């Protein structure tokens, strides 16, 4: 390996990218152009090709493959949300995830750990019970448990009562999982490319061409291309790209930060989340503790890291796991989250004909990657937005029918 | 730590402030549900220099900041009455 590095580091001819090859240059026209080669865009390309036989597709990204929030998330997958619309949608995604490694013959290191949402107040217990009932009603494995059972599932967690926020109970979701987030994008990229989809990285979209209210082309740094339909899946850049199509969204772009510690021996099996303290932690297969909190207090298009984030996070984390005080933080980073006021996505058709949108994924969109890909592909291919996506339409804000998703990450109860 | 210069209290840590959204023109009271929904929910979400509301939490003082949302540079802060010179009147039978 070090020899290979040396050889190709000094050579102009790199080995062919084994994942998805590199198309030579943009064609003048495609059936479908997908803006954003994150997990969502790549999954949509794959399902368009596989389920609908549409293979004349270009996926364009301004950076490298899946270097946006797909590369930056903390990889938690679950379906124990609060609204029936949300639970059904995320449940479909979890099921697709469970079979993904096998279906696409690529190991995404899907690891079912169990997911505990800690409750420290009576109000949080009430919400946990509410969520458990909605979940069970829709066939999702979810229950309220008390400290004795928490101690069995996670003996390392401090259940001390003489702390500022003692743990009163938890919402337990056994199917909660983590996966290798990059591998999810890679597997979709590889499978889509094998069916003929072109993936063009370092090809920023700079404009959308609209004629008589319908999208007809996309302007890029590498030239203009015409196309039949456009799907935008650009997460934190949703408002910026939508504006090129003359659309305004109910979205604020706000940084979300995370960090990992140095690796230690495995000790933490479940994923631990606290909605009241706004912190969550899981241990990766490499042994690192992966930790995060709530979004930054104000919007920003910059992925800088802050000290305040770490201080706030560690203050609570040390109360939950006092012994991690000796661990060193190895890396800290941020992604730009596309936050909606009701913590639900904005998906489906738009007032611009042939222009589809997959946005508003905020802090919760990694777990939705497969279902978004599949259902956005269905919308783009058939022109009919499926029922599961209808509650998330942009028009909901004008009908005052928001989907108040208080089961979303980093939302207080 | 990043600081904001509060027009009332001087420079303070940014953790003492709450963000209040971009400054936008309020629709007329009888503008209709669509315009009001757009005013309440839809965001410009500008990348670049933005005029926005901030509040200093300990003193509940609202003011305006011009900030670059790409570099996070605060260009100016000033009292709201520098731009809101007309009083908003809500008349009608309520
Ligand atoms: C720190 C952090 C932790 C998170 N944790 C979780 C979690 O535990 N569980 C969960 O479910 N979700 C989580 N999320 C949210 C999740 O990461 C995102 O919602 C999800 O990855 C969005 O995927 P995407 O493919 O839509 O966007 P991205 O992966 O961001 O892809 C969008 C792509 O669009 C490209 N792009 C932007 N503008 C242009 C342009 N003009 N032209 C061409 N390309 C463009 C970007 O380069 C980028 O590659 C987290 C997010 C962050 C930041």
């Amino acid at each position: 390996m070090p020899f290979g590095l040396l050889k190709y580091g000094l050579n102009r001819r790199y080995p062919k990218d084994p994942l998805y090859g590199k198309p030579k240059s943009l064609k003048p026209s495609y059936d479908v152009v997908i803006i954003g080669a994150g997990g969502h865009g790549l999954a949509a390309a794959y399902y368009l090709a596989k389920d609908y036989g549409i293979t004349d597709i270009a996926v364009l990204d301004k950076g490298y493959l899946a270097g946006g929030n797909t590369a930056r998330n903390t990889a938690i997958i679950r379906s124990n949300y609060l609204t029936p619309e949300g639970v059904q949608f995320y449940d479909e995604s979890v099921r697709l995830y469970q079979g993904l490694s096998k279906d696409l013959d690529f190991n995404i290191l899907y690891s079912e750990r169990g997911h505990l949402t800690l409750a420290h107040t009576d109000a949080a217990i009430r919400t946990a019970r509410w969520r458990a009932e909605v979940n069970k009603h829709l066939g999702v494995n979810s229950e309220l448990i008390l400290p004795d059972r928490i101690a069995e599932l996670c003996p390392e967690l401090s259940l001390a009562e003489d702390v500022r926020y003692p743990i009163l109970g938890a919402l337990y979701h056994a199917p909660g999982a983590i996966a290798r987030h990059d591998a999810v994008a890679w597997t979709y990229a590889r499978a889509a490319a094998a069916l003929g989809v072109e993936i063009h990285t370092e090809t920023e979209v700079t404009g959308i061409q609209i004629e008589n209210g319908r999208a007809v082309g996309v302007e890029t740094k590498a030239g203009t291309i015409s196309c039949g339909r456009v799907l935008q899946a650009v997460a934190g850049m949703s408002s910026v790209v939508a504006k090129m199509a003359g659309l305004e969204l109910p979205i604020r772009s706000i940084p979300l930060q995370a960090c990992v510690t140095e690796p230690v021996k495995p000790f933490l099996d479940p994923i631990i989340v606290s909605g009241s303290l706004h912190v969550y932690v899981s241990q990766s297969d490499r042994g690192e503790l992966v930790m995060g909190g709530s979004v930054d207090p104000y919007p920003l298009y910059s992925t800088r890291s802050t000290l305040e984030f770490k201080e706030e996070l560690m203050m609570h984390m040390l109360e939950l796991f006092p012994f991690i005080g000796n661990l060193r933080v190895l890396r800290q980073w941020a992604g730009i989250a596309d936050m909606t006021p009701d913590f639900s996505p904005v998906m489906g058709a738009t007032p611009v004909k042939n222009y589809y949108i997959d946005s508003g994924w905020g802090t919760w969109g990694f777990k939705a990657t497969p279902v978004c890909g599949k259902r956005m592909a269905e919308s783009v291919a058939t022109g009919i937005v499926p029922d599961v996506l209808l509650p998330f339409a942009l028009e909901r804000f004008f009908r005052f029918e928001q989907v108040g998703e208080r089961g979303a990450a980093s939302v207080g109860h | 730590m990043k600081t904001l210069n509060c027009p009332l209290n001087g420079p303070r840590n940014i953790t003492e402030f709450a963000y209040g959204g971009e400054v936008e023109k309020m629709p007329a009271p009888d503008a209709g549900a669509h315009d009001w929904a757009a005013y309440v929910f839809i965001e410009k979400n500008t990348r670049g220099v933005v005029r926005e509301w901030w509040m200093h939490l300990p003193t509940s003082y609202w003011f305006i900041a011009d900030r670059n949302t790409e570099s996070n540079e605060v260009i100016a802060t000033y009292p709201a009455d520098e731009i809101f010179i007309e009083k908003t009147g809500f008349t009608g039978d309520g």
Side-chain angles (χ1 to χ4, degrees):
Chain A
M1 193 57 191
F3 286 115
L5 256 184
L6 196 65
K7 186 171 152 204
Y8 292 114
L10 300 171
N11 198 323
R12 288 173 139 257
R13 259 171 295 152
Y14 304 106
K16 190 167 174 289
D17 193 325
L19 271 179
Y20 59 95
K22 286 243 181 332
K24 283 168 201 70
S25 56
L26 280 175
K27 294 195 294 179
S29 142
Y30 294 89
D31 286 347
V32 178
V33 166
I34 297 176
I35 311 170
H40 286 220
L42 294 166
Y46 167 71
Y47 290 111
L48 272 169
K50 181 181 156 271
D51 294 353
Y52 300 94
I54 300 175
T55 54
D56 187 26
I57 302 174
V59 187
L60 312 178
D61 200 289
K62 67 172 179 175
Y64 53 92
L65 187 85
N69 289 353
T70 299
R72 295 155 197 270
N73 69 74
T74 44
I76 300 172
I77 298 165
R78 61 188 177 88
S79 60
N80 60 347
Y81 276 70
L82 175 71
T83 64
E85 297 87 342
V87 176
Q88 273 165 314
F89 183 69
Y90 292 107
D91 187 39
E92 185 176 334
S93 208
V94 169
R95 278 190 251 173
L96 285 167
Y97 258 126
Q98 286 167 341
L100 200 61
S101 294
K102 207 160 161 243
D103 291 346
L104 276 76
D105 190 25
F106 194 103
N107 191 356
I108 62 160
L109 302 180
Y110 193 80
S111 169
E112 258 179 33
R113 301 290 192 84
H115 182 281
L116 289 172
T117 310
L118 306 178
H120 311 261
T121 61
D122 288 344
I125 291 276
R126 184 209 58 195
T127 310
R129 190 168 277 142
W130 179 5
R131 275 168 70 178
E133 291 311 316
V134 174
N135 294 168
K136 281 189 263 188
H137 182 65
L138 295 164
V140 168
N141 183 345
S142 179
E143 60 185 308
L144 177 72
I145 59 171
L146 298 175
D148 52 339
R149 180 99 171 88
I150 299 176
E152 281 170 32
L153 288 165
C154 189
E156 303 78 15
L157 184 64
S158 166
L159 292 164
E161 287 170 8
D162 58 345
V163 291
R164 187 154 171 220
Y165 300 105
I167 295 165
L168 306 180
L171 181 67
Y172 176 48
H173 179 49
I178 49 176
R180 178 84 170 90
H181 45 83
D182 298 315
V184 172
W186 296 337
T187 180
Y188 279 124
R190 190 182 71 143
L195 294 170
V197 171
E198 288 183 14
I199 299 166
H200 293 268
T201 52
E202 291 171 65
T203 308
E204 181 170 354
V205 171
T206 51
I208 312 288
Q209 294 188 324
I210 294 170
E211 277 171 20
N212 302 325
R214 63 175 66 219
V216 295
V218 168
E219 291 159 16
T220 79
K221 290 227 158 128
T224 300
I225 43 184
S226 64
C227 58
R229 275 153 285 177
V230 182
L231 166 62
Q232 81 155 71
V234 294
M237 291 296 149
S238 290
S239 303
V240 174
V241 174
K243 201 173 160 197
M244 298 175 193
L247 300 169
E248 283 187 335
L249 304 173
I251 285 176
R252 284 179 178 172
S253 292
I254 310 182
L256 177 65
Q257 305 188 43
C259 62
V260 294
T261 65
E262 58 190 327
V264 287
K265 281 186 184 167
F267 73 91
L268 181 64
D269 193 32
I271 304 153
I272 305 291
V273 181
S274 167
S276 317
L277 308 184
H278 297 303
V279 296
Y280 59 86
V281 59
S282 70
Q283 190 170 21
S284 75
D285 294 328
R286 280 193 295 237
E288 304 157 325
L289 292 187
V290 183
M291 298 184 274
S294 49
V295 289
D296 277 11
Y298 56 90
L300 188 64
Y301 284 95
S302 156
T303 51
R304 58 93 179 89
S305 298
T306 66
L307 179 64
E308 295 99 271
F309 157 73
K310 268 192 305 232
E311 281 181 340
E312 175 89 27
L313 175 70
M314 299 315 170
M315 174 172 80
H316 295 306
M317 209 53 94
L318 288 176
E319 203 168 279
L320 300 177
F321 298 100
F323 58 90
I324 65 169
N326 296 331
L327 288 184
R328 276 167 299 191
V329 170
L330 210 60
R331 294 190 304 281
Q332 185 187 359
W333 67 91
I336 302 174
D338 35 337
M339 300 295 290
T340 54
D342 58 356
F343 304 95
S344 287
V346 175
M347 301 177 80
T350 69
V352 178
K353 274 210 120 168
N354 296 342
Y355 196 86
Y356 294 84
I357 190 161
D358 174 25
S359 68
W361 280 111
T363 65
W364 50 86
F366 172 69
K367 68 180 70 62
T369 304
V371 72
C372 285
K374 202 168 172 71
R375 297 307 196 154
M376 286 312 301
E378 182 178 346
S379 309
V380 172
T382 65
I384 300 164
V385 179
D387 285 352
V388 276
L389 297 192
L390 289 178
F392 306 120
L394 176 56
E395 297 88 60
R396 73 176 182 271
F397 291 94
F398 296 98
R399 294 193 305 255
F400 303 96
E401 282 173 5
Q402 288 90 328
V403 187
E405 188 48 89
R406 288 201 293 167
S410 63
V411 182
H413 305 296
Chain B
M1 169 118 21
K2 193 170 176 60
T3 54
L4 253 192
N5 191 11
C6 173
L8 184 66
N9 302 285
R12 318 291 299 187
N13 285 342
I14 196 140
T15 48
E16 286 188 25
F17 296 89
Y19 171 79
E22 295 190 22
V23 175
E24 282 182 64
K25 200 170 158 24
M26 200 192 285
D30 58 358
H34 189 277
D35 284 9
W36 273 97
Y39 174 68
V40 174
F41 301 120
I42 301 296
E43 304 283 345
K44 293 254 179 324
N45 202 17
T46 311
R47 185 174 57 163
V49 177
V50 187
R51 177 179 273 184
E52 51 198 22
W53 285 104
W54 283 82
M55 183 181 69
H56 183 243
L57 292 163
T59 54
S60 299
Y61 177 73
W62 283 99
F63 60 97
I64 312 281
D66 293 341
R67 185 175 65 101
N68 185 325
T69 58
E70 263 184 308
S71 63
N72 206 15
E73 182 198 355
V74 180
I75 294 140
T77 54
Y78 43 92
D81 62 10
E82 282 189 18
I83 55 170
F84 290 93
I85 28 188
E86 274 172 40
K87 199 162 186 248
T88 305
F90 281 94
T91 46
D93 5 72

